[in-house]
Amino acid sequence: MKILNVRFIIFIFILVGLVLLQINLSKNKNKYLGWILPILCFLQSIIVILSLATDDNVNLISTIFLLLTTFLYSNIPTLVFILIYILQRNKFKKEKEIEEMKLRDL
């Protein structure tokens, strides 16, 4: 039981660390840095799908359903990282516009 709690706490720290990393990458002036984690998560989901697609022991309908649901579930982190990127970039653009307006007023 103790090992499970320690693993859960480590998982939470890693999750929070990844979210904070994505926020910091998205705030950077270089807009491409914010796409690193979403692209890595998307590539990981493709690898998962390809590893599942090699099983030939089930029928086509169940295989398609399995691949589709696995693809959707494994892309939840990708969507979260993209949402963080969009929100942070919008905030960054607004702050940049405000700075430009202040410079014009001077």
Side-chain angles (χ1 to χ4, degrees):
M1 188 69 167
K2 228 177 188 181
I3 294 173
L4 182 64
N5 290 336
V6 171
R7 288 182 182 173
F8 181 72
I9 291 172
I10 291 172
F11 173 74
I12 294 298
F13 277 127
I14 290 172
L15 191 64
V16 169
L18 285 173
V19 168
L20 292 175
L21 177 65
Q22 178 63 19
I23 290 171
N24 286 333
L25 289 174
S26 298
K27 286 182 179 180
N28 199 320
K29 287 183 181 181
N30 187 349
K31 63 181 178 180
Y32 299 112
L33 286 178
W35 286 103
I36 292 173
L37 290 179
I39 288 172
L40 288 176
C41 286
F42 183 73
L43 292 175
Q44 179 266 338
S45 71
I46 290 175
I47 291 170
V48 169
I49 293 298
L50 292 176
S51 68
L52 288 176
T54 59
D55 190 16
D56 294 331
N57 295 335
V58 290
N59 64 14
L60 182 64
I61 301 296
S62 63
T63 302
I64 291 173
F65 182 73
L66 174 69
L67 292 176
L68 184 63
T69 55
T70 304
F71 183 75
L72 292 175
Y73 285 135
S74 62
N75 274 313
I76 291 173
T78 306
L79 295 175
V80 169
F81 287 143
I82 289 173
L83 180 65
I84 291 171
Y85 174 78
I86 290 170
L87 293 175
Q88 290 299 319
R89 290 309 289 184
N90 286 342
K91 188 187 294 186
F92 179 76
K93 287 179 184 177
K94 285 181 185 179
E95 290 173 1
K96 191 175 180 181
E97 288 176 2
I98 289 174
E99 285 181 24
E100 289 176 3
M101 287 172 50
K102 285 181 180 179
L103 287 175
R104 288 182 197 157
D105 290 341
L106 293 176

